[in-house]
């Protein structure tokens, strides 16, 4: 293919992204948009309820399959209107990202206020070759999903700062980190929080076809290790060849000075590292022993255990403690008042996010109450099942349907609880292992996380981006992330097909077919 043809194609694609950004940013302010969307959901719910829209399906609940019939629920009823008013506060306070963001920012705010983050970034800039920095940011984002959602709060804003340190556009760094954290959510070199969660649902669905079937948390491990490198390479390519050229030079007010590390800062970094190692040792003492305090009563570390439930405060402390140690050693912390002031300053920057989180929490709750998302998921699965596709065609179709449904239902476990009882037994009957079906689902679930405003942390990312460009809107973020989503999907599906054709094990003792 000629260079001219390639340039033309890239031009067409860039024009498409420009159109996405233009249309998206012509929408009202995100706060207004989610208010409008909430009102639309209320109206549609009434229309659907009056039309008798309903679905019957089998779902996994607490590990047990059950037959369920759900109907569209109108919010324009006495009960619905009462619920809208009476649960507005609990919708907000119970919004999953809210506590994660605010608690984590207490620690991050101290680390930033004392100068630890800035000094660490300058150190990173001075020792890391420029050509590898994008790769490092994407890889760090992928690995952060071991700590569940903490990467959204910590890695994404750090990605922007790292790029700014290298005199590169901070939004490109933000996009690279977001792509790794969210688009690569199912890739990792080690077992994360999602593996036992999805594995439990898969095992329950498999027992409907083959009682006693066991699905281990390591079921997809080998494939996810390979996926880490695929997503890392694709994420780097998209950042440097598509996203960053579109953004152009950064002309904003935010700066990060790249100066040599002073003696005081060097001393601070040493003490920060010592304090971090000590803190990690304490956490290891609470987790590693078989009777560790942060294990559950059965001795497990992963799953719904004290350790996993306590990851957010652990992450906050992992920034807070080194931040204080750095500040004392470097002379930027004179008393406890300085620490408290840094925390307060960090919270003061979250005002815009809190407003957006409030209206988004209402919209997400309304959508859940109406059952519209679940009905859409079941009907999408029924269409695929009735398509007549078999073999690899069926599996690729399943990946695409999973990705589409993910645009409307953000929770990976909630979607899988609906889809697993349909597809796991069906594909077992065709000779495919439940673990392989779970793997296909995870590809679709991950790749569209970064382009749906319904993803719980989408509002957080918009707020982070607006620090560098106040005009950043939903259209800007989606247009930045669409190339990642498309190429992640293509690259991951190609890896999936290769694995299918060669028949490699997807995890310890687990294969594509029985």
């Amino acid at each position: 293919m000629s260079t001219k043809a390639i340039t033309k194609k890239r031009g067409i694609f860039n024009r498409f992204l420009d159109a996405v950004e233009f249309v998206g940013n012509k929408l009202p302010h995100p706060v207004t948009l989610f208010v409008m969307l909430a009102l639309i959901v209320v109206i549609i719910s009434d229309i659907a309820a009056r039309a008798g829209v309903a679905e019957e399906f089998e779902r996994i609940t607490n590990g047990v399959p059950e037959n369920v019939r759900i109907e569209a629920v109108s919010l324009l009823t006495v009960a619905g209107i009462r619920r809208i008013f009476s649960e507005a506060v609990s919708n907000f306070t119970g919004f999953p990202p809210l506590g994660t963001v605010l608690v984590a920012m207490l620690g991050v705010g101290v680390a930033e206020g004392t100068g630890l983050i800035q000094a660490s970034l300058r150190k990173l800039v001075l020792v890391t070759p420029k050509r590898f920095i994008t790769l490092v940011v994407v890889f760090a984002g992928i690995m952060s999903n071991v700590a569940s959602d903490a990467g959204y709060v910590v890695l994404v804003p750090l990605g922007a700062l790292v790029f700014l340190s290298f005199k590169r556009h901070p939004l490109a760094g933000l996009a690279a980190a977001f792509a790794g954290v969210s688009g690569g959510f199912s890739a990792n070199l080690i077992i994360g929080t999602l593996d036992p969660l999805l594995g439990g649902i898969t095992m329950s669905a498999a027992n409907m076809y083959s009682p006693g079937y066991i699905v281990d948390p390591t079921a997809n491990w080998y494939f996810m290790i390979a996926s880490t490198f695929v997503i890392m390479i694709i994420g780097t390519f998209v950042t440097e060849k598509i996203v960053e050229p579109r953004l152009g030079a950064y002309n904003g007010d935010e700066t990060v000075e790249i100066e040599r590390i002073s003696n005081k800062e060097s001393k601070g970094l040493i003490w920060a590292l010592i304090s971090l190692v000590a803190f990690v040792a304490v956490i290891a003492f609470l987790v590693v022993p078989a009777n560790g305090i942060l294990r559950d009563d059965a001795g497990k570390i992963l799953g719904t255990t004290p350790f996993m439930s306590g990851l957010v405060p652990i992450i906050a402390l992992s920034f807070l403690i080194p931040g204080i140690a750095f500040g004392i050693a470097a002379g930027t912390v004179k008393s406890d008042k300085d620490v408290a002031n840094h925390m307060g300053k960090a919270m003061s920057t979250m005002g815009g996010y809190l407003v957006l989180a409030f209206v988004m929490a209402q919209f997400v709750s309304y959508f859940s109450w109406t059952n519209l998302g679940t009905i859409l998921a079941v009907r999408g699965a029924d269409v695929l099942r009735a398509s007549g596709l078999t073999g690899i065609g069926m599996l690729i179709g399943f990946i695409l349907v999973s990705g589409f449904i993910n645009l409307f239902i953000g929770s990976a476990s909630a979607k899988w609880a609906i889809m697993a009882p349909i597809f796991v037994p069906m594909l077992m009957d065709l000779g495919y292992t439940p673990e392989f079906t779970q793997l296909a689902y995870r590809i679709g679930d991950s790749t569209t996380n970064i382009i749906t405003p319904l993803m719980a942390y989408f509002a957080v990312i918009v707020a982070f981006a607006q620090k560098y460009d106040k005009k950043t809107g939903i259209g800007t973020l989606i247009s930045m992330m669409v190339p990642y989503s498309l190429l992640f999907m293509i690259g991951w599906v190609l890896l999936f097909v290769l694995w299918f054709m060669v028949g490699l094990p997807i995890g310890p003792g687990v294969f594509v077919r029985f």
Side-chain angles (χ1 to χ4, degrees):
M1 185 180 291
S2 68
T3 304
K4 184 177 179 180
I6 293 173
T7 303
K8 184 177 180 181
K9 284 194 173 185
R10 285 181 177 172
I12 293 172
F13 186 55
N14 276 322
R15 286 198 293 273
F16 164 71
L17 296 178
D18 290 341
V20 171
E21 180 175 6
F22 177 80
V23 173
N25 287 344
K26 285 297 181 182
L27 295 172
H29 188 281
V31 171
T32 308
L33 179 62
F34 279 109
V35 170
M36 294 170 63
L37 288 173
L39 292 174
I40 290 171
V41 167
V42 170
I43 294 169
I44 292 177
S45 73
D46 189 64
I47 295 171
R50 291 178 185 275
V53 175
E55 282 293 339
E56 294 184 5
F57 62 98
E58 202 158 25
R59 179 176 62 191
I60 303 293
T61 303
N62 296 325
V64 180
E66 63 174 354
N67 291 316
V68 178
R69 173 183 170 81
I70 60 166
E71 301 175 349
V73 176
S74 173
L75 297 182
L76 283 178
T77 61
V78 172
I81 293 172
R82 285 176 177 172
R83 191 174 190 184
I84 287 173
F85 281 91
S86 63
E87 297 188 26
V89 174
S90 59
N91 290 342
F92 177 53
T93 57
F95 190 48
L98 185 64
T100 301
V101 171
L102 296 183
V103 172
M105 284 302 294
L106 289 173
V108 173
V110 172
E112 184 174 9
T114 60
L116 171 60
I117 289 179
Q118 293 87 333
S120 300
L121 288 175
R122 280 159 45 212
K123 188 74 172 179
L124 178 68
V125 170
L126 293 171
V127 301
T128 304
K130 185 175 182 179
R131 64 182 180 276
F132 292 135
I133 199 64
T134 307
L135 202 69
V136 169
V137 169
V138 177
F139 176 70
I142 295 170
M143 293 301 295
S144 73
N145 68 53
V146 171
S148 189
D149 295 340
Y152 289 105
V153 184
V154 178
L155 258 298
V156 174
L158 279 182
L161 281 173
V162 168
F163 268 49
L164 191 58
S165 300
F166 277 86
K167 305 299 182 184
R168 296 171 64 181
H169 203 298
L171 291 187
L174 178 144
F178 184 30
V181 171
S182 196
F185 196 72
S186 276
N188 214 298
L189 299 181
I190 58 180
I191 302 302
T193 57
L194 192 62
D195 296 276
L197 181 63
L198 295 184
I201 297 172
T202 304
M203 184 164 63
S204 299
N207 284 324
M208 297 165 58
Y209 183 89
S210 177
Y213 194 96
I214 302 296
V215 176
D216 293 320
T218 57
N220 299 149
W221 193 17
Y222 296 164
F223 185 85
M224 293 308 160
I225 290 174
S227 298
T228 300
F229 297 100
V230 170
I231 296 302
M232 187 168 59
I233 292 169
I234 294 174
T236 300
F237 172 82
V238 172
T239 302
E240 296 184 347
K241 302 301 182 182
I242 299 176
V243 172
E244 202 164 8
R246 287 191 71 248
L247 289 169
Y250 177 63
N251 298 313
D253 298 328
E254 296 291 330
T255 59
V256 175
E257 293 297 326
I258 307 177
E259 301 173 352
R260 293 187 64 84
I261 304 297
S262 68
N263 291 334
K264 283 188 175 182
E265 288 175 325
S266 293
K267 182 180 178 182
L269 288 173
I270 292 171
W271 279 104
L273 180 60
I274 292 172
S275 68
L276 179 61
V277 170
F279 175 69
V280 171
V282 171
I283 296 299
F285 174 76
L286 297 175
V287 174
V288 173
N291 61 344
I293 293 174
L294 291 183
R295 292 176 180 248
D296 67 8
D297 293 336
K300 294 181 179 179
I301 298 174
L302 300 177
T304 54
T305 64
F307 173 67
M308 298 309 301
S309 301
L311 271 177
V312 174
I314 289 173
I315 294 292
L317 288 171
S318 70
F319 280 87
L320 175 66
I321 293 171
I324 294 173
F326 175 90
I328 293 173
T332 56
V333 169
K334 305 296 184 182
S335 69
D336 60 310
K337 293 180 181 179
D338 293 327
V339 176
N341 288 337
H342 290 317
M343 288 183 176
K345 186 177 179 181
M347 291 297 102
S348 69
T349 63
M350 301 303 293
Y353 167 68
L354 292 176
V355 175
L356 185 56
F358 176 79
V359 295
M360 190 174 183
Q362 309 309 317
F363 166 68
V364 171
S365 296
Y366 297 173
F367 198 71
S368 174
W369 296 344
T370 62
N371 291 331
L372 293 176
T374 303
I375 291 171
L376 179 65
V378 174
R379 292 196 172 181
D382 287 343
V383 168
L384 179 60
R385 184 167 49 178
S387 66
L389 292 172
T390 58
I392 193 65
M394 158 67 82
L395 292 164
I396 292 175
F398 175 56
I399 291 172
L400 296 175
V401 168
S402 299
F404 176 74
I405 293 172
N406 189 50
L407 296 173
F408 304 94
I409 303 178
S411 170
S413 57
K415 290 190 299 295
W416 191 224
I418 296 168
M419 300 177 73
I422 299 171
F423 287 102
V424 168
M426 180 175 71
L427 290 171
M428 287 178 75
D429 192 55
L430 294 174
Y432 299 108
T433 61
E435 295 89 343
F436 191 58
T437 305
Q438 173 183 284
L439 185 154
Y441 165 75
R442 294 176 71 171
I443 293 173
D445 174 68
S446 289
T447 50
T448 55
N449 277 337
I450 49 182
I451 59 172
T452 171
L454 291 181
M455 195 271 290
Y457 285 89
F458 201 85
V460 181
I461 310 305
V462 171
F464 286 147
Q466 288 175 342
K467 176 181 178 180
Y468 302 99
D469 184 353
K470 297 187 184 303
K471 296 180 180 179
T472 298
I474 289 175
T476 306
L477 186 56
I478 292 178
S479 69
M480 280 198 303
M481 304 315 297
V482 162
Y484 293 103
S485 185
L486 291 176
L487 292 183
F488 280 178
M489 176 70 80
I490 293 170
W492 231 335
V493 167
L494 289 176
L495 179 65
F496 179 81
V497 172
L498 175 64
W499 224 276
F500 174 85
M501 294 175 65
V502 178
L504 296 170
I506 59 176
V510 182
F511 293 83
V512 172
R513 294 179 179 272
F514 290 107

